[in-house]
Amino acid sequence: MALHGGREPKHPGGEEVQVNPLFADPAMDAVPKHRLGDGSIDPRTAYQVVHDELMLDGNARTNLATFVTTWMEDDARRLMAECSDKNMIDKDEYPQTAELERRCVNILGSLWRSPARGDAVGCSTTGSSEACMLGGLALKRRWERRDGGSRGRPNLVMGINVQVCWEKFCNYFEVEARCVPMEGDRFQLSAEEAVARCDENTIGVVAILGSTFDGSYEPVAEIAAALDDLEKRTGLDVPIHVDGASGAMIAPFLDPELVWDFRLPRVASINTSGHKYGLVYPGVGWAVWRDAGALPDELVFRVNYLGGEMPTFALNFSRPGAQVALQYYNFLRLGFDGYRRVQQECRDVATRLAGSIVKLDAFDVLTRGDELPVVAFKVRDGIESFSVFDASTKLREHGWVVPAYTFPANREDLAVLRVVVRNGFSHDLADMFVGDLKSALPALERQHEPVHGASATSFHH
Ligand SMILES: Cc1ncc(COP(=O)(O)O)c(C=O)c1O
């Protein structure tokens, strides 16, 4: 089954890719698209064909939808090329890559105030999705082991605003997803709503730092305090997993006074995406547990067929080692102050951008970029001529990819645009973006009614 998101290929009719005569031998002017060719072609031709096909992908720098790193400096790219043959799982063959992974886990553990100083329990993953699955599996196994009590269907409590990986976790591992809907101006999980849904079959509560929908931080400390109180009243001991896919690499640098991490005894595990504000190219995430007690030992496999006895906790077996080396490179290269300056610049750009958007007198901002550097904004009440979907389409004419989407239950009536400010999206680019949005307004305001419906662009993670 080919999973291509229901999109038709660009040229549905053609079964072959045409090869420019400059590159091919005269006998071969096309190569099949959907089956192997009969013979080989030379590498230069193959390179050119693939390279040309990929030209149609968007420009990463003007893609304001993604949280994922789209630029790294030359030295990092060199390191990536040097490490491209390393398989992360072969820890016996690549012990130094494994050592860099261990150092990264300790660095993150200390950033997140792990009590296991210098011996943090954690691992790298392909991204936050895998890290969340591992965090969820540890919660589920701990619940199963708990005092042999009643065994109904396990459930996980979270806001409806969780990223799709948590829905996947619940679906794949047969856990009931107890999602708290949005209500009025509350777009995230509250302590009160979380506690109200906990019972003896709750494996944990997921708190997000910050929400994929609007970039806001969930009140982790308040949720922890409410769960402490629940334990006092009922004896139920419900742990928290903090999904810090983005925020766990922002808050330690920009919000040191915010208590959301292992300083809260109820926080059992934390994940982040190395490839988001960890500033590494895609495929690396991290999961760190409070201590060995938070990660049941029976989930850790020890294999000896690679030589040595290697512990692994992962959904995949083989995966690239280069991103782990790049994560360590960034930690080494930037240090605490380097990260702080990069993240502060993103926050400064985002908050200024939010102010400029408000000044256009056509939009209201839901978030101002002062938690995650993310600005979510909606068309101002009373403006009937265009929708966020129309604005998103107009921005595409200028090369900007800005997702427009509706919020989930119970705020499906609310549709927003969202800009994610990443390293490299400068004040200058932000000004150009606002300029293009401003210049699109007269045409949008001349419309009699919105042109694009809710399906115009899909939600981006
Ligand atoms: C809060 C949150 N959790 C999990 C994920 C999944 O992360 P990844 O893309 O690294 O698998 C995302 C992605 O945007 C996210 O925002």
Side-chain angles (χ1 to χ4, degrees):
M1 178 174 60
L3 297 173
H4 47 65
R7 274 180 55 185
E8 285 297 316
K10 277 249 152 50
H11 308 290
E15 286 300 310
E16 293 179 321
V17 180
Q18 302 305 308
V19 176
N20 187 313
L22 200 72
F23 295 103
D25 84 44
M28 193 212 55
D29 58 358
V31 286
K33 270 187 197 167
H34 301 295
R35 65 171 178 82
L36 278 179
D38 297 331
S40 311
I41 62 177
D42 76 86
R44 252 186 78 215
T45 309
Y47 170 84
Q48 201 61 43
V49 169
V50 180
H51 177 88
D52 287 359
E53 291 255 355
L54 292 175
M55 234 164 43
L56 296 177
D57 277 350
N59 173 357
R61 295 289 290 279
T62 56
N63 177 2
L64 306 182
T66 184
F67 286 89
V68 176
T69 301
T70 46
W71 179 85
M72 288 190 81
E73 56 203 352
D74 282 345
D75 300 271
R77 290 171 198 241
R78 186 151 54 90
L79 199 55
M80 187 163 191
E82 285 167 17
C83 296
S84 56
D85 57 350
K86 290 187 203 289
N87 186 349
M88 198 59 231
I89 197 72
D90 288 344
K91 299 191 186 199
D92 202 50
E93 188 178 350
Y94 305 116
Q96 214 49 34
T97 307
E99 165 63 14
L100 297 191
E101 179 190 35
R102 206 178 65 83
R103 289 184 204 170
C104 289
V105 167
N106 275 324
I107 290 170
L108 290 170
S110 98
L111 264 184
W112 300 337
R113 318 294 178 99
S114 156
R117 284 170 218 291
D119 201 14
V121 180
C123 55
S124 64
T125 59
T126 47
S128 273
S129 299
E130 186 186 6
C132 292
M133 307 266 168
L134 301 183
L137 281 170
L139 293 178
K140 187 173 180 222
R141 188 55 60 91
R142 278 178 66 189
W143 166 82
E144 281 163 359
R145 276 166 147 212
R146 220 160 43 198
D147 57 50
S150 72
R151 286 287 166 268
R153 185 166 180 228
N155 67 72
L156 183 65
V157 173
M158 51 201 169
I160 188 95
N161 52 314
V162 286
Q163 210 262 359
V164 68
C165 66
W166 289 105
E167 291 168 49
K168 286 187 190 174
F169 167 75
C170 288
N171 183 331
Y172 298 167
F173 297 104
E174 303 190 349
V175 171
E176 178 196 341
R178 289 205 176 156
C179 292
V180 176
M182 297 179 170
E183 217 62 69
D185 288 340
R186 182 178 56 68
F187 302 130
Q188 37 163 257
L189 187 63
S190 72
E192 200 188 356
E193 297 287 345
V195 166
R197 280 164 182 78
C198 290
D199 59 24
E200 66 281 5
N201 294 321
T202 303
I203 64 171
V205 172
V206 175
I208 319 168
L209 204 83
S211 172
T212 321
F213 279 85
D214 61 6
S216 64
Y217 291 166
E218 289 192 333
V220 190
E222 280 176 30
I223 294 170
L227 290 172
D228 289 346
D229 180 57
L230 178 77
E231 184 174 6
K232 263 195 220 119
R233 286 187 285 111
T234 65
L236 287 179
D237 178 10
V238 180
I240 294 178
H241 174 94
V242 180
D243 178 355
S246 298
M249 287 304 290
I250 297 282
F253 303 105
L254 301 189
D255 310 293
E257 71 296 338
L258 183 75
V259 179
W260 62 274
D261 48 20
F262 291 121
R263 280 170 287 180
L264 299 168
R266 199 158 285 280
V267 172
S269 42
I270 301 174
N271 69 275
T272 199
S273 299
H275 56 217
K276 292 188 178 120
Y277 291 98
L279 308 177
V280 177
Y281 280 140
V284 64
W286 300 94
V288 178
W289 284 266
R290 159 172 293 282
D291 51 31
L295 174 59
D297 196 49
E298 71 256 29
L299 290 176
V300 179
F301 285 78
R302 289 177 175 77
V303 297
N304 61 9
Y305 37 75
L306 298 169
E309 258 256 312
M310 293 303 156
T312 80
F313 184 29
L315 298 183
N316 231 54
F317 192 66
S318 299
R319 76 186 148 84
Q323 282 81 352
V324 168
L326 290 191
Q327 184 73 78
Y328 187 69
Y329 166 88
N330 272 347
F331 286 158
L332 190 71
R333 150 108 171 87
L334 293 171
F336 187 92
D337 197 55
Y339 265 102
R340 190 193 56 72
R341 285 189 300 124
V342 170
Q343 317 302 37
Q344 185 65 54
E345 178 73 3
C346 288
R347 186 175 276 181
D348 291 347
V349 171
T351 49
R352 184 164 159 269
L353 175 67
S356 309
I357 289 171
V358 171
K359 282 197 201 125
L360 296 178
D361 269 340
F363 302 98
D364 284 324
V365 293
L366 275 70
T367 44
R368 307 187 149 267
D370 51 2
E371 291 186 326
L372 293 190
V374 166
V375 183
F377 54 108
K378 70 180 185 77
V379 176
R380 189 161 282 180
D381 288 343
I383 296 182
E384 308 283 336
S385 56
F386 70 94
S387 67
V388 287
F389 305 101
D390 296 336
S392 174
T393 306
K394 272 273 171 229
L395 286 166
R396 259 185 199 257
E397 290 172 11
H398 296 273
W400 303 107
V401 178
V402 182
Y405 49 90
T406 50
F407 271 24
N410 291 330
R411 286 307 313 268
E412 296 96 331
D413 59 304
L414 181 58
V416 302
L417 291 149
R418 185 195 67 190
V419 171
V420 174
V421 175
R422 299 189 309 278
N423 182 29
F425 187 64
S426 59
H427 284 291
D428 285 345
L429 280 171
D431 287 346
M432 287 182 217
F433 170 79
V434 174
D436 288 338
L437 186 56
K438 186 174 179 182
S439 72
L441 279 177
L444 288 170
E445 283 166 343
R446 272 198 304 276
Q447 293 179 179
H448 295 299
E449 58 186 11
V451 175
H452 293 93
S455 59
T457 51
S458 57
F459 179 61
H460 281 255
H461 65 104

